[in-house]
Amino acid sequence: MTHNHQSAGESRLERGRRALADIDGHAGEKVVASLADIAPDFATYIIEFPFGDIYSRPGLDLRAREIATIAALTALGNATPQLKVHIEAGLNVGLSRDEITEVIMQMAVYAGFPAALNGLFAAKDVFAGMPPQKEEG
């Protein structure tokens, strides 16, 4: 599942909106909408740079990009709302709950147990609000 293409004549904002919808779905729209009354320009920057420029680049598929994002947000240890959005995004692009859990657990080695624990609790919250996943196999 690769999303890494740019249509001729498509603006950064248009490309970013498409990528945001594909990756984050409703959660991404909520983040953008929540900025409308305080910093609408910042919402545009979020759409254009991370999604219009970075997520739309060739080289990594969306699963790999979300693995990296979940790992980075877990390691930061202070980005729980953003981590929850990207855990949902990971599920949207085909990561399993087990894969997300393993990525977060891996961060205990590099970011410490508190960061990994916080990440696991964020994942638990996200998973609790979703329908059960079918067993693989």
Side-chain angles (χ1 to χ4, degrees), residues 29-45:
E29 293 170 14
K30 282 176 49 179
V31 171
V32 169
S34 71
L35 294 167
D37 62 345
I38 188 168
D41 288 345
F42 196 75
T44 301
Y45 302 150

Side-chain angles (χ1 to χ4, degrees), residues 19 40 66 85 97 129:
E66 283 306 321
V85 167
R97 293 177 186 197

Side-chain angles (χ1 to χ4, degrees), residues 3-6 10-25 27-29 31-32 35 42-58 62 65-66 69 73 82 85-86 89-90 92-93:
H3 171 73
N4 307 317
H5 65 280
Q6 298 180 8
E10 187 177 40
S11 73
R12 293 171 73 210
L13 186 60
E14 292 166 335
R15 189 171 55 246
R17 286 186 198 278
R18 180 172 38 83
L20 180 67
D22 290 348
I23 298 161
D24 285 342
E29 293 170 14
V31 171
V32 169
L35 294 167
F42 196 75
T44 301
Y45 302 150
I46 289 172
I47 295 168
E48 288 178 336
F49 179 62
F51 293 95
D53 292 341
I54 303 301
Y55 272 94
S56 298
R57 289 179 52 80
L62 294 178
R65 290 186 187 279
E66 283 306 321
T69 303
L73 291 170
Q82 295 81 13
V85 167
H86 283 280
N92 287 343
V93 300

